[in-house]
Amino acid sequence: MEISKLIVDLQVKENITLSSTYSLLKLTSDKRLPEMKPGQFVEVRVDGSPQTFLRRPISINYIDKAAHEVWLLIQQIGEGTRRMAMYRVGETVNLLMPLGNGFSIPLYTTGLRLLLIGGGVGTAPLLFLGDVLKQAGFEPVFLLGARSKDDLVQLPDFRQRGMVHITTEDGLMGEKGYVTDHSVLCNETFDYVYTCGPKPMMVAVARYAASRGIPCEASLENTMACGIGACLCCVEQTKKGHKCVCTEGPVFNINQLTWLS
């Protein structure tokens, strides 16, 4: 069943500074929020920023149904996200949501080992995914990578939902190197892999999964200016031609993509 897309005004309940470049926005409503799936995203209208004309696509980080909250992990990389990091409690934020297609959830839990690999801000949708998998009876394993320990955020939240392995490029936390260098990939076996992060990282993860015959889904981070397939900014080449990531994705099975060709 297709989930309806809504334009909604939400209020900032909390704006938590996680590091020098990351903030966590908790947005709430006095009305029931629409159903959302892990891997879907929202388009945020950035008010108060004259240079920001288009909405900004942000992954759904977590949904707290009891509190009617949507969490958005914000990495400050431009004028729009810097403005979002400055939102104050009580301020109104306009969202188009939910957008795109999410990750698939296995029907059976018996014996399946699921690995969730994220890099940088690509860890954002994996928290919501891990929570849904945990509630479904799985014990997800997270492999999170970043340039430095300061770029690893929400670790307590991830650890509440499963085992967490870490890599940093400078080696100041976890194993030194990229996520695909981590020893867990050699020492343990998995039945399904989910990934989100920079494209080179996801391509490397896809090759790892394919070499071992493991099904893998990747959440692409192409530029999604409109979120509804109109602007064609986010087009990705697939085995069945060009697809709009915002409507056909952002989650794709790696067998749909041309990464392994």
Side-chain angles (χ1 to χ4, degrees):
M1 182 176 65
E2 183 177 354
I3 298 175
S4 299
K5 302 176 182 64
L6 301 174
I7 297 178
V8 297
D9 284 332
L10 301 181
Q11 283 69 50
V12 178
K13 184 175 181 179
E14 288 186 86
N15 187 351
I16 304 169
T17 299
L18 301 178
S19 72
S20 60
T21 55
Y22 285 95
S23 299
L24 179 63
L25 278 179
K26 294 186 179 182
L27 307 177
T28 189
S29 173
D30 56 2
K31 299 179 181 178
R32 182 178 179 181
L33 295 171
E35 289 295 320
M36 288 168 268
K37 297 179 179 180
Q40 290 188 304
F41 67 100
V42 303
E43 289 273 358
V44 181
R45 190 183 72 200
V46 185
D47 298 326
S49 177
Q51 298 177 347
T52 308
F53 301 103
L54 300 173
R55 290 177 180 264
R56 291 296 185 263
I58 305 292
S59 296
I60 297 171
N61 178 230
Y62 178 68
I63 299 295
D64 187 333
K65 290 185 178 181
H68 301 285
E69 287 181 3
V70 180
W71 295 12
L72 304 179
L73 182 64
I74 309 299
Q75 182 185 26
Q76 300 173 45
I77 55 175
E79 177 64 26
T81 48
R82 282 193 290 269
R83 170 68 183 97
M84 293 169 65
M86 296 170 59
Y87 285 154
R88 298 179 178 178
V89 173
E91 195 167 348
T92 298
V93 182
N94 183 268
L95 305 180
L96 175 61
M97 60 186 283
L99 298 171
N101 297 305
F103 294 104
S104 61
I105 307 299
L107 296 177
Y108 304 101
T109 61
T110 305
L112 288 182
R113 301 202 70 223
L114 310 181
L115 179 63
L116 286 59
I117 305 178
V121 76
T123 63
L126 301 186
L127 180 62
F128 186 20
L129 174 61
D131 188 76
V132 170
L133 291 173
K134 181 77 170 178
Q135 292 185 36
F138 296 98
E139 293 292 335
V141 176
F142 300 98
L143 175 52
L144 309 178
R147 292 182 179 179
S148 177
K149 65 177 183 178
D150 293 335
D151 297 316
L152 287 164
V153 295
Q154 298 186 293
L155 291 181
D157 294 307
F158 281 106
R159 287 173 173 143
Q160 288 178 5
R161 292 159 176 87
M163 175 65 70
V164 176
H165 300 280
I166 291 170
T167 66
T168 51
E169 293 180 29
D170 59 13
L172 294 180
M173 180 176 286
E175 295 187 12
K176 184 176 182 179
Y178 301 117
V179 289
T180 46
D181 299 324
H182 198 284
S183 59
V184 71
L185 300 181
C186 298
N187 298 335
E188 299 186 29
T189 58
F190 298 95
D191 300 294
Y192 212 97
V193 174
Y194 303 91
T195 187
C196 184
K199 186 172 181 178
M201 184 210 81
M202 291 195 293
V203 171
V205 171
R207 288 174 177 163
Y208 155 80
S211 70
R212 289 161 175 77
I214 307 171
C216 178
E217 293 183 3
S219 179
L220 276 58
E221 295 188 318
N222 299 32
T223 300
M224 294 177 279
C226 72
I228 56 174
C231 69
L232 304 181
C233 290
C234 64
V235 167
E236 177 78 13
Q237 177 65 43
T238 74
K239 292 181 179 179
K240 293 187 177 181
H242 290 89
K243 301 291 184 180
C244 285
V245 170
C246 66
T247 54
E248 301 289 334
V251 177
F252 291 88
N253 188 292
I254 60 169
N255 292 329
Q256 298 174 268
L257 304 172
T258 59
W259 296 355
L260 306 176
S261 301

